[in-house]
Amino acid sequence: MEFQNEIGLIQRKMAASIAGTSRRLEILNSLDLQSGQQVLDIGCGGGHLLEELAKAVGPNGKVYGLDTSEDQLKQAKERCNSHDNVFTLHGLANSINLNDDSCDAVVSVQTFEYIKNVDESIEEVIRVLKPESIFVNISILWDYYKFYGADENLNNIIQDTFKKHCFHQMLPMDLTGKLKKFGFKHIKHKPLPLFITNRDNNSPARYAADVMAQFAIQQGVSSDKVDEWQCQLSMAEEEGRFAYTNLPILTYGYIN
Ligand SMILES: C[S@@+](CC[C@H](N)C(=O)[O-])C[C@H]1O[C@@H](n2cnc3c(N)ncnc32)[C@H](O)[C@@H]1O
């Protein structure tokens, strides 16, 4: 999935919602950043986490945001324009324009599942990390990314289409093995479940449904069907039988 234009915009609204805020808090808690440190955010999107990282490392530290999307990087630069210690990098996670052993921490939120060759990108993470440093990743168990309340057949059509939106639907399941293979130690996981029953403004459920709807249309599902699905979800919400579930997993490990 490309995070440009409409999908990029909805993604940034999702990042600004409670779903994004709570993930950023979990990332910051796991990092224990010190003033003057250098941190890289892979797939920084609209830069919401960069802003928080910039405050944590202070003016003597540096924060790098890497993303493939020019659209997202433009938004990230605007968001962080009052922080002189934030730098954006346009590129891919498997070819990072940073020196060896230059980062005290590498973080990534909902990005590694979109990367075809995850192993190559983990090797890049190791190259840029200083010894004894931490990599923190949040990826979603997409099998549990579900909407409840619409007609079952229609709901299945929209949700099944969404399975094509990323390469690795269940990445957290494989991450321990992958990180161990490349020498990470003390690997731990923390589930960050969401159960949301409203679709009002600033509800992650609303933005999640909007992204799924946009993607379904891109994949050739008729806009009539997609509109019908959204209407059914709204009706279910009014009748108190709507729910959206999401199961992101925070994983961290330390490199030797
Ligand atoms: C779902 S968004 C998450 C953005 C941000 N981390 C957040 O939580 O709000 C995924 C981001 O990863 C970027 N991305 C996808 N593949 C990438 C790759 N191979 N290397 C770097 N960034 C990538 C996308 O452009 C997009 O901005």
Side-chain angles (χ1 to χ4, degrees):
M1 188 160 76
E2 298 290 325
F3 291 90
Q4 308 281 4
N5 307 322
E6 187 63 18
I7 288 193
L9 182 67
I10 306 170
Q11 190 282 317
R12 289 190 293 277
K13 286 184 178 173
M14 179 72 137
S17 75
I18 185 68
T21 312
S22 55
R23 286 181 208 173
R24 287 191 288 282
L25 275 177
E26 293 287 351
I27 292 262
L28 290 170
N29 282 341
S30 61
L31 284 175
D32 187 29
L33 286 172
Q34 306 297 315
S35 166
Q37 288 192 320
Q38 299 212 124
V39 188
L40 165 67
D41 179 8
I42 296 179
C44 63
H48 298 76
L49 179 57
L50 298 180
E51 225 182 357
E52 302 301 329
L53 295 170
K55 289 180 214 160
V57 299
N60 296 328
K62 281 186 180 162
V63 175
Y64 297 96
L66 172 79
D67 208 288
T68 46
S69 160
E70 296 268 23
D71 188 25
Q72 295 276 59
L73 287 176
K74 184 168 168 266
Q75 300 297 326
K77 273 186 207 158
E78 274 174 29
R79 174 172 298 282
C80 299
N81 65 7
S82 61
H83 297 282
D84 295 339
N85 56 349
V86 174
F87 304 88
T88 53
L89 305 169
H90 182 230
L92 291 159
N94 62 358
S95 171
I96 303 169
N97 188 15
L98 286 176
N99 291 337
D100 295 1
D101 300 341
S102 54
C103 295
D104 297 282
V106 174
V107 301
S108 187
V109 180
Q110 202 194 316
T111 296
F112 267 69
E113 54 263 61
Y114 299 101
I115 298 176
K116 197 167 186 181
N117 192 330
V118 170
D119 285 12
E120 270 181 21
S121 299
I122 293 177
E123 285 180 295
E124 265 301 83
V125 168
I126 293 169
R127 185 185 67 74
V128 301
L129 270 179
K130 293 177 184 173
E132 312 291 329
S133 298
I134 188 169
F135 171 48
V136 187
N137 181 71
I138 295 180
S139 284
I140 291 176
L141 289 174
W142 290 97
D143 282 4
Y144 299 96
Y145 196 90
K146 298 256 189 228
F147 292 87
Y148 299 84
D151 163 73
E152 198 178 334
N153 283 341
L154 181 57
N155 208 37
N156 287 345
I157 291 172
I158 309 280
Q159 294 194 155
D160 287 349
T161 306
F162 201 59
K163 287 188 175 154
K164 290 193 210 123
H165 98 288
C166 73
F167 290 112
H168 308 285
Q169 290 280 307
M170 297 292 274
L171 182 65
M173 300 282 184
D174 300 328
L175 214 45
T176 302
K178 286 184 184 297
L179 294 178
K180 267 191 184 161
K181 181 172 89 180
F182 289 110
F184 279 90
K185 303 271 189 248
H186 312 300
I187 299 162
K188 296 237 164 67
H189 304 280
K190 182 173 182 186
L192 310 171
L194 285 177
F195 174 74
I196 292 177
T197 56
N198 70 69
R199 288 166 31 92
D200 55 11
N201 264 338
N202 211 31
S203 160
R206 183 190 187 122
Y207 301 128
D210 286 351
V211 169
M212 210 179 250
Q214 284 285 327
F215 188 78
I217 290 170
Q218 282 178 9
Q219 294 297 304
V221 179
S222 75
S223 48
D224 282 355
K225 264 194 182 143
V226 172
D227 289 349
E228 176 59 23
W229 179 69
Q230 290 269 37
C231 278
Q232 289 184 8
L233 293 181
S234 294
M235 204 180 298
E237 183 195 359
E238 271 171 40
E239 293 169 6
R241 51 181 181 82
F242 167 77
Y244 156 70
T245 58
N246 182 0
L247 186 47
I249 306 290
L250 182 146
T251 303
Y252 65 83
Y254 294 83
I255 196 66
N256 278 333

